[in-house]
Each structure stands twice: as C-alpha cells, then as structure tokens.
Amino acid sequence: MITAIIQARLSSQRLPKKLIMKINQKTLLENLFSQLSYSKQIEKRIIATTSDTIDDEIEHIANSLNISCFRGNSLNVLDRYYNCAKLFGLETIVRISGDAPLIDPEIVDRTIEYYKKNNFDYVSNFVKRTFPIGTEVEIFSFETLEKCWSNAKKPYEKEHVTPFIYENPDLFNIGSIQNIENSSHLHWTVDTIEDFTFVESISKKIKNRPILMNHILDLLQNEPDLVKINQSVDPFAGFKKSKMET
C-alpha cells in the first residue's frame, strides 16, 4: 500500500496557524487534501502532527475529513514520521509537506509511478530542482526511512526528515524526476503572508479542480505581475537557518 504522510503543525514561526487560514472557505490543509484526493496512486493518507496542544485543531480537521492522525515529536519530524509509519505498518511512504496547498496530484502520481517501475530506495522531484517549489514529492520504503531514522544525527536532518537520504547517495539508490522546463525559480509554498496572498490569488483565478502546475504556469504567463506578490520571499529560509544551527 502506498500511503501519503502529510506533516502539519500550527506553530510556524513566520506565519503562525497558516494551515487553518482559509481560501475559498477551506483551510489550507483542506485545500491540500482536496488536491491529493485526485491522486490515482495514493491509497491512504495520514496527517502527522505534534503532540502540542496547539495542534489539537489539526487533529480536529483530520477527524472531520475522516483522515487518520498521528501525533508525535514537535521538533524531531523524522522521529514523528518513523513512529507514524511504524504504528500504521506502512510499506511505501509518500512525504508531502502541509505548507503545499497546491500540490499537483499528477506530479505526485508521476513520481510514484517512476518509483514503482524502478529499484530505487528513494525518489523525489526536487533533489535536482526543475519543478516549482510547492510541488515537492518524495517516496521511499519503510526500510529506507528506518535506516535514515537510525543514522541521522544532525538537527536539520531530523527536522527536515530526508536530508540524510539525499545527501548520502553512496548509502541509498536515489532516483530523480525532472520537468521538461526549469521552473524552479517559482514558488507557491506558504511560509509568509505574501505567499498566502499569492496562493489565494491563484486559487481564486483558476477554476479548474484540481489545480495543476500547468494551470498555474499558464496563468503566470498571462498575468506575470502576480509573481511579484511573493518574489522577495526566500522559500529556503527555514532550511538554511536550521542547517546553520547544526
């Protein structure tokens, strides 16, 4: 069974409680799950949140959507992922970040299909970046996750779950999906209020459901000024900060 684990928490430093901010009368988390519901490859979805009281609301949303919820370590997200996968007896795991409400189900399925057709330990669409930030997909076996959990030592490896895998290609057989055109300069993750405004604009202007990457690229081609909304935001700020603290 292929299971998506979506990491989610409300204590984000740059935009607290962003996942319950609403677009089209749905929280960002609900928008994400709506997008994922169009995946033909994902068989089960689980929210992995923290055991902190602030995230009771995440569990409430999961319950309202009839989606399983696991609660674990707030800082060591790798440990949260591992224990979630172990508790549910997962075999193949798709990692999705909760701050990607415009995740593209077709990219998700393409990544999963590539993994299934080959003998990789890990496949992603961002180790060699060509896709927009906010479309990230990772897939790996429980054995790969367990090896990562057992060997990762640095704080940023534990906070960001998979760096130990893709930074150690000698230990893992790593596959990569790449886009025909390099659109990695664009981003529609939600880390700041500018990002939220950008995603809100996209969601309201595009009527198709699900909203696919190509729909967004077409919109930005026709309305290039939209990119200016969050152009000054560094989508890697959190990762850089945690890596510097190692």
Side-chain angles (χ1 to χ4, degrees), residues 24-202:
N24 296 325
Q25 296 165 341
K26 288 183 180 179
T27 64
L28 289 190
L29 200 54
E30 289 170 312
N31 276 278
L32 185 153
F33 276 103
S34 176
Q35 289 282 106
L36 275 185
S37 70
Y38 291 92
S39 167
K40 297 174 182 176
Q41 295 289 333
I42 291 174
E43 298 166 271
K44 182 178 177 63
R45 297 167 293 165
I46 301 171
I47 294 179
T49 191
T50 82
S51 54
D52 297 343
T53 304
I54 190 174
D55 289 319
D56 289 351
E57 198 156 358
I58 296 286
E59 184 172 9
H60 175 73
I61 291 172
N63 292 338
S64 71
L65 297 173
N66 198 27
I67 291 169
S68 299
C69 182
F70 176 85
R71 302 188 69 166
N73 198 303
S74 61
L75 298 177
N76 189 338
V77 191
L78 173 57
D79 184 73
R80 195 194 316 165
Y81 254 75
Y82 173 73
N83 281 296
C84 174
K86 188 175 181 180
L87 178 68
F88 285 94
L90 305 187
E91 298 174 359
T92 307
I93 299 135
V94 177
R95 178 176 176 245
I96 304 288
S97 176
D99 60 9
L102 295 177
I103 191 73
D104 185 326
E106 290 188 357
I107 296 174
V108 171
D109 286 351
R110 180 183 164 192
T111 308
I112 294 171
E113 286 165 5
Y114 187 65
Y115 174 88
K116 288 166 69 175
K117 290 176 181 176
N118 295 279
N119 189 33
F120 291 114
D121 297 315
Y122 168 94
V123 172
S124 84
N125 68 333
F126 72 83
V127 172
K128 299 175 182 177
R129 285 198 178 271
T130 54
F131 285 90
I133 300 154
T135 63
E136 289 89 345
V137 185
E138 299 171 273
I139 180 168
F140 41 85
S141 66
F142 177 77
E143 289 74 20
T144 297
L145 177 62
E146 187 166 52
K147 188 175 180 179
C148 179
W149 177 80
S150 298
N151 291 282
K153 305 300 179 188
K154 298 172 183 176
Y156 80 92
E157 292 173 336
K158 297 177 181 180
E159 180 182 350
H160 297 282
V161 184
T162 54
F164 182 82
I165 300 174
Y166 56 77
E167 291 182 357
N168 289 281
D170 54 322
L171 300 178
F172 301 96
N173 187 13
I174 295 173
S176 181
I177 294 287
Q178 292 182 267
N179 197 27
I180 296 172
E181 295 184 15
N182 189 344
S183 301
S184 59
H185 61 289
L186 299 169
H187 73 275
W188 43 80
T189 47
V190 177
D191 289 312
T192 66
I193 191 61
E194 292 85 0
D195 293 331
F196 175 80
T197 303
F198 180 60
V199 168
E200 182 180 40
S201 298
I202 289 171

